Amino acid sequence: MVLTALAGIEAFGRVSEMLLPAYILIFSALILALLPQVQLSNLRPVLENGLAPVAKGMVPGVAMPFAGMSIMLMVFPYVNKKAHFKKDMLLASLIGGIVISLFLLLSLLVIGPFVTNYSPYISSVLTTQINELNYITRVESLVAITWALAAYFKGVLFFYAFTFGTPQLFRISNSRPFVIPAGGIVFGMTILITPNVYYYVRTLVYPLAAWNITNGFIIPLLLWGVYLCRQRWKQRQNLSRN
C-alpha cells in the first residue's frame, strides 16, 4: 500500500483496470463450477423466523460495501472524464450489489443456511465443493487470489484517503512525507484492533457497520444539507442586494 500511494492514484487506477478482468474470470468460473450442485430445497423455509433476523443481517451487509464507498469522494476530484461520471458510479454500485446478492444466493443454494450463517469465509467453503470430473478440485488458491485483490484495492483506497486527506485537513501542500509514517501506524493498528479473525467477526462487525453508516450516510447528508443551506443563504443575500 505504501509503494502504491507513493506511485500515485493514476498508477493504482491503471493496475486495477488490468486486474479487474482476472477477478471477473475467476468469479465467473466459480459460479459455473458450482451450478451443478445447486439445491433449491436449501431455500426453504422462507422467512422462518420473520423479518427481524433478515433486517439484522442486512445492517453489516449494506454498511460494509456501500457505505464504505464514501471513501471514493477522495478520488473523485482526480477524475478527468466526467461526462458519464454519475451514471458510471451508479452502474458500478448496482453491479456490485448484484454480485454480492448472487454470491450469497449461491452460498445458500449449495451449502445451506447454517454454514452460510456461521462461516466467516463462505467463498472458501464454496470452493471446497467444486469437483469437476474428479479432476478440477481444491481450487481455494483462486479464491485466495480474489481475496488478495479485493483487500489490496480497498486497503489502498482507505490508505490513500488517510495519507492525502490528513495533510489537506491541515493545509499542508506536500503529502508524500506522511506516506511511510502512515504505513507504520496502519500496520501497528491492524495488529491491535484485530488480533484474530474470531475477535473481528464476533466483536467488530456491528460497530464497524455503525462506523461505516456514520461516515458513509450520516456525515455526507449533513454536509450536503449545510451546502444547500449556504447556497440558499447566498441567493437570498444576492436578491436583497439587487
Side-chain angles (χ1 to χ4, degrees):
M1 292 191 300
V2 173
L3 295 177
T4 305
L6 290 174
I9 191 66
E10 183 178 356
F12 169 71
R14 297 191 181 279
V15 171
S16 63
E17 288 180 352
M18 294 172 59
L19 296 180
L20 182 61
Y23 183 86
I24 295 175
L25 179 63
I26 294 173
F27 183 77
S28 302
L30 177 63
I31 293 177
L32 293 176
L34 289 172
L35 285 180
Q37 304 188 38
V38 167
Q39 298 180 11
L40 296 178
S41 59
N42 289 333
L43 293 179
R44 297 190 295 267
V46 180
L47 298 177
E48 180 181 10
N49 298 316
L51 290 173
V54 178
K56 182 180 179 181
M58 286 176 61
V59 173
V62 173
M64 295 293 182
F66 295 107
M69 288 184 66
S70 61
I71 204 68
M72 296 298 295
L73 295 173
M74 291 294 298
V75 183
F76 291 166
Y78 301 97
V79 177
N80 293 326
K81 298 180 180 179
K82 299 183 179 181
H84 306 285
F85 184 69
K86 293 182 180 180
K87 184 185 296 185
D88 293 340
M89 282 302 303
L90 292 175
L91 181 61
S93 302
L94 178 62
I95 293 174
I98 292 174
V99 169
I100 294 174
S101 301
L102 183 62
F103 201 84
L104 179 59
L105 178 62
L106 185 66
S107 176
L108 290 172
L109 290 171
V110 174
I111 60 179
F114 182 81
V115 180
T116 302
N117 185 27
Y118 288 100
S119 178
Y121 300 110
I122 299 300
S123 55
S124 178
V125 178
L126 283 174
T127 53
T128 60
Q129 306 297 317
I130 296 177
N131 186 359
E132 296 295 330
L133 303 176
N134 293 323
Y135 181 74
I136 302 177
T137 59
R138 310 299 298 179
V139 291
E140 290 86 351
S141 58
L142 294 178
V143 178
I145 293 174
T146 60
W147 282 351
L149 292 177
Y152 169 75
F153 292 151
K154 187 174 181 179
V156 168
L157 285 175
F158 278 86
F159 184 75
Y160 175 83
F162 174 64
T163 54
F164 288 86
T166 303
Q168 292 180 13
L169 180 63
F170 295 100
R171 297 183 179 180
I172 300 174
S173 58
N174 188 11
S175 58
R176 294 181 67 87
F178 291 88
V179 174
I180 296 178
I185 294 173
V186 170
F187 179 77
M189 292 300 294
T190 302
I191 299 175
L192 292 176
I193 295 175
T194 54
N196 52 64
V197 177
Y198 181 83
Y199 179 82
Y200 175 81
V201 173
R202 296 301 177 187
T203 307
L204 295 180
V205 170
Y206 284 98
L208 283 178
W211 173 261
N212 287 327
I213 291 175
T214 303
N215 291 330
F217 289 115
I218 298 177
I219 293 179
L221 285 176
L222 289 175
L223 294 176
W224 186 50
V226 171
Y227 170 77
L228 292 178
C229 292
R230 292 184 63 181
Q231 291 294 109
R232 291 184 179 180
W233 178 259
K234 289 181 180 179
Q235 290 177 0
R236 290 180 180 179
Q237 286 184 337
N238 294 331
L239 291 174
S240 62
R241 290 175 183 177
N242 296 331

